[in-house]
């Protein structure tokens, strides 16, 4: 008979070969198998596991040991205190992406009735986080992948967030009828030959959500170009980027006529987000009488 404690110790020994936080990793998987919290495991370490529980747990440990991301094994990832369903059709939401949400909220007053676009929404993480914080604002979230949008819609329903609409398409293409106060995106930005693609969770994630042409800047460039026609006067564009792309992204924004360009670091100190404002009409049409 195997207790919770024994099963966890064995799993930690196995996982320690490839993972820094082996005990924690094992606990997440066992909590998932038992449909309990990690606290439960600490409260009842002597509880015996049934044969089926133990077999299932050991299979999950083996998958994790082979590198499969924990979020794909459990089908779940926490983002902005929302528990989200994730599948291999979606990127796994990262803690550093919460910076993008924080910065966007600075530009959306709590009682605003704004229109906000989230481009490349994946599991819906950013859109749903914003929707939960700004209940009077309307968020339109776009993804090219229909499979990702199925996951996003499931997450929307799970959290009963009725101020989010999902649309399928290529970046701003489906949004031609709208004007937004804020456009936000965590696009693909990794170079095709970047060694990070072979590390951690990345080999299991959708490549088209990670990789961009032109030194990882192609999609950022397209978003910066096309957002101008969709932003309200003084509207904000916020984009997440790679650790070494802050200068390139700022330059792209400047080149396209954005102003108030600011770069921001994430919790681990890496440059991660560039924000900028745009005033339609001012650059293309100097005679325009702007408010
Ligand atoms: N920040 C992620 C990583 O480097 C990539 C996410 C993205 O491409 N948008 O692991």
């Amino acid at each position: 008979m195997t207790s919770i404690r024994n099963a966890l110790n064995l799993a930690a020994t196995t996982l320690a070969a490839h993972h820094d936080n082996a005990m924690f990793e094992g606990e997440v998987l066992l909590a998932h198998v038992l449909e309990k919290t990690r606290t439960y495991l600490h409260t009842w370490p002597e509880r015996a596991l049934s044969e089926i529980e133990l077999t299932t747990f050991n299979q999950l440990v083996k998958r994790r040991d082979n590198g499969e991301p924990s979020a794909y094994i459990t089908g779940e990832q926490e983002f902005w205190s929302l528990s989200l369903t994730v599948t291999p059709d979606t990127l796994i939401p990262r803690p550093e992406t919460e910076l993008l949400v924080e910065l966007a909220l600075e530009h959306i007053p709590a009682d605003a009735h704004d229109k906000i676009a989230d481009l490349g929404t994946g599991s819906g993480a950013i859109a749903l986080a914003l929707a939960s914080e700004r209940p009077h604002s309307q968020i339109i979230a776009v993804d090219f992948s229909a499979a990702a949008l199925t996951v996003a819609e499931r997450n929307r329903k799970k959290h009963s967030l009725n101020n989010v609409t999902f649309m399928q398409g290529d970046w701003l293409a489906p949004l031609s009828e709208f004007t937004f106060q804020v456009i936000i995106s965590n696009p693909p930005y990794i170079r095709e030959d970047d060694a990070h693609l072979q590390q951690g969770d990345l080999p299991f994630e959708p490549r088209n959500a990670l990789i961009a042409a032109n030194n990882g800047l192609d999609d950022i460039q397209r978003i910066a170009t096309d957002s101008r026609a969709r932003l309200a006067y003084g509207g904000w564009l916020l984009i997440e980027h790679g650790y070494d792309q802050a200068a390139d992204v700022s330059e792209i924004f400047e080149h396209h006529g954005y102003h108030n360009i600011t770069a921001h670091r994430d919790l681990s100190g890496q440059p991660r987000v560039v924000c900028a404002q745009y005033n339609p009409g001012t650059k293309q049409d100097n005679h325009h009488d702007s408010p």
Side-chain angles (χ1 to χ4, degrees), residues 91 94 96 186-190 202 205 209-211 240 272:
L91 201 72
R94 312 282 204 265
E96 59 263 31
N186 174 18
Y189 51 68
I190 302 178
L202 276 68
E205 294 185 291
L210 293 168
I211 297 169
E240 177 173 322
R272 187 61 62 196

Side-chain angles (χ1 to χ4, degrees), residues 30-246:
L30 187 53
H32 175 70
V33 170
L34 302 180
E35 297 180 38
K36 303 283 186 194
T37 61
R38 283 178 50 241
T39 310
Y40 174 93
L41 307 179
H42 292 269
T43 313
W44 307 105
E46 309 294 347
R47 199 203 110 171
L49 297 178
S50 71
E51 208 164 309
I52 180 92
E53 286 167 345
L54 186 62
T55 311
T56 309
F57 176 56
N58 286 334
Q59 282 165 352
L60 301 193
V61 170
K62 196 164 177 191
R63 284 167 62 185
R64 184 70 190 111
D65 193 41
N66 288 334
E68 192 173 340
S70 199
Y72 289 157
I73 298 174
T74 64
E76 227 178 328
Q77 176 71 29
E78 192 99 355
F79 182 81
W80 200 265
S81 74
L82 298 171
S83 157
L84 300 177
T85 294
V86 293
T87 74
D89 290 317
T90 68
L91 201 72
I92 300 164
R94 312 282 204 265
E96 59 263 31
T97 300
E98 294 188 346
L99 172 66
L100 202 51
V101 175
E102 265 169 49
L103 292 166
L105 291 176
E106 288 179 14
H107 300 300
I108 313 163
D111 57 353
H113 289 65
D114 282 355
K115 235 183 178 55
I116 302 157
D118 172 25
L119 307 178
T121 195
S123 63
I126 295 168
L128 297 172
L130 291 175
S132 72
E133 296 290 338
R134 295 295 183 263
H136 304 298
S137 287
Q138 197 63 37
I139 294 99
I140 302 183
V142 177
D143 208 286
F144 193 68
S145 158
L149 289 177
T150 303
V151 177
E153 177 59 14
R154 194 167 145 191
N155 284 323
R156 189 193 67 74
K157 286 210 180 94
K158 181 172 172 184
H159 294 284
S160 309
L161 292 163
N162 297 322
N163 52 334
V164 181
T165 310
F166 294 109
M167 297 182 82
Q168 202 213 332
D170 194 14
W171 300 122
L172 291 116
L175 302 178
S176 57
E177 298 164 35
F178 306 105
T179 300
F180 301 94
Q181 276 72 39
V182 174
I183 298 178
I184 185 168
S185 182
N186 174 18
Y189 51 68
I190 302 178
R191 294 175 192 85
E192 194 153 12
D193 58 354
D194 192 315
H196 290 105
L197 292 166
Q198 269 74 57
Q199 295 168 16
D201 293 348
L202 276 68
F204 291 84
E205 294 185 291
R207 276 175 71 85
N208 55 5
L210 293 168
I211 297 169
N214 183 17
N215 263 335
L217 294 166
D218 203 49
D219 293 300
I220 291 177
Q221 184 106 36
R222 287 189 54 196
I223 292 167
T225 306
D226 295 347
S227 289
R228 294 177 303 180
R230 300 274 67 84
L231 280 170
Y233 190 88
W236 288 91
L237 174 63
L238 295 89
I239 294 190
E240 177 173 322
H241 57 72
Y243 68 98
D244 57 355
Q245 294 172 332

